[in-house]
Amino acid sequence: MASEVVQDNSGGDERPQISNSAAANVGEEVEELKLLQDAVYALPTYAVKDFFSLGACARCIFRLFGLCQKISSFPSLPTATMNAMLEKNVLGRDRDDNCSGSAERKDSGSQQLSSQTFVLEHAVCRICLGILDYVYHDEKEILVKKDSAYEFARIVAESVKQEHPQIDSFSLEVSLPPVVMDNEQVVRSFMRKKYGSEHWFLQKTLTDCISIKDALKLSILDTLEKLLGTKSNLSTFRIRLTYETSEESRRKPDNEEIDGCKRRKTNMLYTADEKQASETSGSKNFAEHENKQYECTEGFAKDLEGHGSDYLKFQLEKESQPFGLVFLCYRCPIYIGGRYLKYSRNVSQTCWMIEDERMGEASVEEIIGGSILPLCQGDGYKFHAAGREDIDVRMLGTGRPFLVEVQNAHQVPSEELIKEMEMKINSQENKLVGVKNLKILDNKGWALMREGEAEKQKQYAALVWISRPFNDDDSKTLSSLQEMQILQKTPIRVLHRRSPLEREKVIHWMKVEKIAGSCQYFLLHLCTQKMPIIDEPRHGMDCH
């Protein structure tokens, strides 16, 4: 659809008309468009002219007068057609009934502005700064303008499909700079002061006027659902549109790395770690803005009384450039957890490097995480465990609780796929590590970690050699010792980061297991107080 300005040679009056091709495109929506035009006819002419003179775009005017819901039904409606509709149905129509209003209203009504003049004088809306006109700067700082909500939603959908071909639902989020909220605040204050006693304002605007953020979401949400073939809800898959001022963009280099992940602008997608950093920064800015909002509003109200609409224009002209736009598409982390067993004395829990040299032949983290990540098609993973053991200590018995946090997973594994993961890990030829009870966990999965941390007692097994033959009296003596208090020195392996202290610990009980054919070796089973230093068994022990 498109609008044209046609010169009337007989009278010299320029009136926007919808072209024949545009009329054909909206043929099926004629009735709904008629209802929209009727709603536009009902708008107070003098107020619409006021907002045109302030530099408001057509969508902002519709939003401020509570017509967002009607406009959202026409995602393919071009900006030019909206401007033409406002001019033809409102600005170009004399309203004799408004002439009897107040002197201030007469002054407003006397202004003769056309949508063409508006477009020429105000390249970007002074209130939304191009957000509702789908104007933004891309990653090359090139100004981009999409003509309709549909075209803008299509760009977003294409970016999503590029990174995540299959999604079952999504949640749309929008982040705006504080200056947008400032603009909304001063415009609402202006409306309350100037039109507060008007019937249309009391009955319509206070209930139906929505924010710029909500108007943007409303305008593209239905189209996104159709293009992506799924519904919007409180999903773990998020689509986030982040608008940034040029100053904010300059402070953030294009290739800035956050937790090892590069930040990418328009038509590119962030990772989950970038999203968290962005939200932290955004929350801080929003909190600062909220603290100043009341003071700003009160000060604005006083200045508005003294200087009128000139002061309002001054406030709206503080920022006049469209924002940079960043598309962020990500899935909230998924958690896959269970218990791991370690059978080798040459495997660390996490990758251990000293001066670029690997310690041990592998790590629990790499074996388990490296098996899970490809099946989830994620961007990365983090390994979490309830405590740890030394590289030369085995983990036996029920195993140690662990979680693998998969970031931005492109595929959420089914129960069958989880079983395949478990079998794949447990069937490795070298038998270094095994897992049990592997499953997908929700956010409450951290309870599994706390389960291991909350265990007040730990059991270990140590192979002991003594210089003389081991007899039954020795076995009875050891077995009779209960709740024995000892002093534990800070282990040498952690002295570089722990104070060299002696800490009181308790050995709850000990049990001896003789080894057939040997009189100087035996197995010593111990039940001890949890070791809060790092919960690592000493060298040569096994964990149960």
Side-chain angles (χ1 to χ4, degrees):
M1 291 181 290
S3 67
E4 300 174 349
V5 177
V6 179
Q7 177 72 36
D8 185 352
N9 295 327
S10 60
D13 181 27
E14 290 187 354
R15 294 180 182 276
Q17 297 179 357
I18 299 178
S19 66
N20 292 333
S21 59
N25 292 333
V26 298
E28 297 178 358
E29 302 174 343
V30 170
E31 291 301 322
E32 291 187 16
L33 273 175
K34 181 63 168 58
L35 294 176
L36 177 60
Q37 289 172 340
D38 291 343
V40 174
Y41 267 115
L43 299 180
T45 307
Y46 57 91
V48 175
K49 288 181 178 180
D50 285 343
F51 285 110
F52 259 142
S53 67
L54 290 173
C57 66
R59 289 187 180 87
C60 260
I61 293 175
F62 289 142
R63 175 181 66 86
L64 292 169
F65 287 100
L67 298 182
C68 253
Q69 191 67 47
K70 288 184 172 63
I71 289 296
S72 66
S73 301
F74 303 95
S76 298
L77 198 64
T79 301
T81 301
M82 293 186 183
N83 287 332
M85 189 182 299
L86 276 175
E87 181 184 358
K88 179 180 179 181
N89 294 348
V90 180
L91 296 180
R93 179 178 175 183
D94 294 328
R95 299 221 175 158
D96 297 333
D97 55 334
N98 287 332
C99 295
S100 58
S102 63
E104 182 179 38
R105 185 185 301 179
K106 289 179 181 178
D107 290 340
S108 299
S110 63
Q111 299 176 30
Q112 299 297 324
L113 298 173
S114 69
S115 60
Q116 183 184 32
T117 303
F118 166 74
V119 172
L120 291 175
E121 291 184 353
H122 306 286
V124 63
C125 174
R126 298 299 193 195
I127 300 175
C128 71
L129 296 170
I131 292 173
L132 296 184
D133 271 341
Y134 316 111
V135 180
Y136 58 88
H137 285 106
D138 65 8
E139 73 279 3
K140 297 179 180 178
E141 301 299 327
I142 297 174
L143 188 65
V144 177
K145 177 175 173 58
K146 296 302 174 184
D147 200 38
S148 65
Y150 177 85
E151 289 300 318
F152 181 70
R154 186 172 60 82
I155 293 297
V156 176
E158 287 175 356
S159 295
V160 173
K161 290 178 179 179
Q162 207 171 27
E163 293 289 317
H164 295 263
Q166 295 180 343
I167 59 174
D168 53 8
S169 62
F170 69 93
S171 175
L172 179 62
E173 301 175 343
V174 176
S175 176
L176 304 180
V179 65
V180 177
M181 292 181 280
D182 290 338
N183 285 356
E184 286 203 87
Q185 190 68 29
V186 296
V187 169
R188 288 177 185 267
S189 296
F190 168 77
M191 293 182 73
R192 280 193 296 268
K193 180 181 183 299
K194 190 163 187 179
Y195 314 119
S197 60
E198 301 284 347
H199 178 75
W200 61 266
F201 180 80
L202 295 173
Q203 295 299 317
K204 189 78 172 175
T205 309
L206 291 181
T207 56
D208 295 340
C209 179
I210 62 176
S211 67
I212 293 172
K213 177 188 294 187
D214 289 338
L216 177 63
K217 294 170 71 173
L218 182 64
S219 70
I220 65 173
L221 198 55
D222 287 346
T223 304
L224 277 179
E225 288 183 341
K226 293 175 183 177
L227 293 174
L228 295 175
T230 186
K231 291 293 183 182
S232 168
N233 53 35
L234 296 177
S235 173
T236 58
F237 183 81
R238 311 289 174 83
I239 300 172
R240 187 177 179 87
L241 308 179
T242 302
Y243 288 85
E244 299 176 336
T245 63
S246 55
E247 182 180 351
E248 290 173 328
S249 298
R250 285 193 297 268
R251 288 200 303 264
K252 299 173 183 177
D254 288 351
N255 292 326
E256 175 186 358
E257 290 195 5
I258 303 177
D259 293 342
C261 301
K262 288 187 178 181
R263 180 184 182 89
R264 290 160 288 183
K265 288 193 175 181
T266 313
N267 297 330
M268 304 291 280
L269 303 176
Y270 281 175
T271 63
D273 284 346
E274 291 175 274
K275 179 258 181 186
Q276 184 177 5
S278 173
E279 280 189 340
T280 302
S281 174
S283 298
K284 181 179 178 182
N285 291 339
F286 182 77
E288 292 175 353
H289 169 75
E290 285 290 303
N291 293 333
K292 296 177 180 179
Q293 196 174 54
Y294 177 79
E295 180 181 348
C296 262
T297 304
E298 289 296 307
F300 171 76
K302 292 180 181 178
D303 289 328
L304 189 62
E305 290 179 4
H307 304 284
S309 59
D310 289 341
Y311 183 75
L312 174 62
K313 289 181 180 179
F314 170 75
Q315 290 289 324
L316 296 179
E317 288 173 0
K318 285 185 174 180
E319 181 71 40
S320 59
Q321 295 300 316
F323 301 118
L325 175 59
V326 176
F327 296 153
L328 164 61
C329 177
Y330 70 100
R331 189 184 298 280
C332 293
I334 63 173
Y335 300 96
I336 298 175
R339 288 176 174 263
Y340 76 79
L341 300 104
K342 192 177 75 169
Y343 306 117
S344 170
R345 296 188 185 277
N346 195 29
V347 173
S348 58
Q349 188 186 79
T350 57
C351 184
W352 186 12
M353 305 288 290
I354 297 180
E355 295 181 354
D356 297 329
E357 183 178 350
R358 172 186 283 276
M359 299 290 105
E361 59 182 308
S363 71
V364 176
E365 174 187 37
E366 292 169 301
I367 293 173
I368 298 178
S371 299
I372 291 176
L373 184 64
L375 293 176
C376 295
Q377 299 177 25
D379 289 352
Y381 70 88
K382 293 181 180 179
F383 184 85
H384 310 275
R388 61 191 302 128
E389 65 283 331
D390 279 349
I391 187 172
D392 59 351
V393 174
R394 295 185 298 174
M395 171 55 63
L396 305 175
T398 59
R400 188 183 295 278
F402 75 92
L403 279 179
V404 175
E405 178 185 341
V406 182
Q407 301 164 339
N408 197 25
H410 291 60
Q411 177 178 340
V412 179
S414 61
E415 291 185 8
E416 292 76 12
L417 196 55
I418 291 292
K419 292 300 180 184
E420 288 182 21
M421 290 182 192
E422 187 170 330
M423 292 177 60
K424 178 182 177 181
I425 296 171
N426 292 334
S427 61
Q428 292 181 359
E429 293 183 5
N430 49 23
K431 293 287 185 182
L432 300 177
V433 172
V435 295
K436 59 196 302 186
N437 303 328
L438 200 63
K439 57 186 174 182
I440 293 183
L441 305 167
D442 55 19
N443 291 335
K444 296 179 182 178
W446 289 103
L448 178 69
M449 305 295 295
R450 299 190 186 97
E451 176 186 332
E453 295 172 356
E455 293 174 0
K456 301 302 181 183
Q457 298 182 353
K458 301 290 182 182
Q459 294 187 32
Y460 306 105
L463 177 64
V464 182
W465 176 87
I466 60 175
S467 58
R468 59 174 178 80
F470 186 75
N471 55 47
D472 292 340
D473 290 337
D474 295 329
S475 178
K476 290 178 181 179
T477 300
L478 289 174
S479 300
S480 66
L481 296 175
Q482 294 185 358
E483 305 301 324
M484 182 173 67
Q485 293 189 348
I486 63 171
L487 292 177
Q488 180 196 39
K489 292 183 178 181
T490 303
I492 295 175
R493 67 186 179 279
V494 297
L495 272 175
H496 66 284
R497 55 188 174 86
R498 298 279 182 172
S499 301
L501 302 175
E502 292 184 345
R503 297 174 175 84
E504 289 187 0
K505 303 295 173 189
V506 175
I507 297 177
H508 299 294
W509 53 259
M510 289 182 284
K511 184 173 66 175
V512 173
E513 181 182 346
K514 293 183 178 180
I515 298 176
S518 175
C519 61
Q520 289 180 281
Y521 284 94
F522 65 92
L523 282 175
L524 180 63
H525 298 271
L526 304 94
C527 178
T528 72
Q529 176 186 353
K530 178 184 174 183
M531 302 179 186
I533 287 181
I534 196 171
D535 197 22
E536 289 183 351
R538 300 298 298 272
H539 296 282
M541 291 184 176
D542 282 338
C543 236
H544 291 269

